[in-house]
Each structure stands twice: as C-alpha cells, then as structure tokens.
Amino acid sequence: QVQLVESGGGLVQAGGSLRLSCAASGSISSYNTMGWYRQAPGKQRELVATKTNDGWTNSADSVKGRFTISRDNAKNTVYLQMNSLKPEDTATYYCKLRVGIFDYWGQGTQVTVSS
C-alpha cells in the first residue's frame, strides 16, 4: 500500500514563496516519477512539474523560472519550491507518484495567493 502525505500549502501574498513537500511510503520500486499537479475551481487538473528518481524533469511553461522541483530519493520525498507566486497559481496542489503503470495521488494541499 502506497501512501503520499503532502504538506506546506497556505495563504501567501502575490510575489511570495511557499514550499510544498510530499513524502511517499510503502512499496515503491527503484524507478519512479514523483511530481505535482494542480487544480483550480472549475478547471481541469494540470501538470506543474515532475521529476524522475534519476533526475529527468518536466514542468509547465507557466511555472518555469518560478517553481523548482527537487527530490530526496533516500526519503522518497519530493519538494516544490514556489517563488514569485501569482494569484493565478491559486489551486489545490496534488502530489503524484507513478510506478510503472500505476499512479498514486496525495490528498491535496491548498495554495491561495492573494493579490
């Protein structure tokens, strides 16, 4: 049983920063991808950034230069450092772990950016 526990969301003013963390536990194979997706009210869930455990990174154009994804493979933990936050970044942020053909999701953490 794989579990993902997220933390770090909150309320911040535009231009501020937040750091999200997601720790995975359970049976996790040696090769996997961890990352972040977000969903704003009335919108579809979208990719923010993902990173494999051997270092390959993918991120949305809207966050490049502002958000940085990193991992601690020994701890099965992924981080998302979010800088220069904008009101349009307001959403529920979900952590995702992909192992083979299986996807596991966290419960979500709310990020609200006030203008």
Side-chain angles (χ1 to χ4, degrees):
Q1 182 80 8
V2 174
Q3 288 189 321
L4 302 175
V5 179
E6 301 146 334
S7 61
L11 172 64
V12 65
Q13 289 188 331
S17 298
L18 284 174
R19 188 187 193 217
L20 305 183
S21 299
C22 173
S25 61
S27 179
I28 302 169
S29 73
S30 58
Y31 187 80
N32 58 76
T33 302
M34 294 187 76
W36 296 92
Y37 290 71
R38 66 186 181 187
Q39 188 167 19
K43 295 188 177 181
Q44 289 189 331
R45 192 171 297 189
E46 63 177 8
L47 166 76
V48 177
T50 61
K51 194 175 186 73
T52 65
N53 60 328
D54 60 358
W56 288 98
T57 299
N58 183 33
S59 61
D61 288 343
S62 59
V63 306
K64 286 180 179 176
R66 300 188 299 123
F67 293 8
T68 302
I69 188 169
S70 61
R71 292 184 56 153
D72 183 335
N73 291 331
K75 296 180 179 179
N76 285 324
T77 299
V78 64
Y79 306 95
L80 186 68
Q81 178 65 44
M82 304 185 293
N83 299 327
S84 302
L85 282 159
K86 304 175 181 179
E88 51 264 42
D89 295 317
T90 295
T92 301
Y93 284 69
Y94 295 91
C95 175
K96 189 180 92 169
L97 167 68
R98 169 163 285 184
V99 180
I101 62 171
F102 298 101
D103 288 338
Y104 303 92
W105 292 91
Q107 79 283 0
T109 186
Q110 180 67 35
V111 171
T112 302
V113 184
S114 63
S115 58

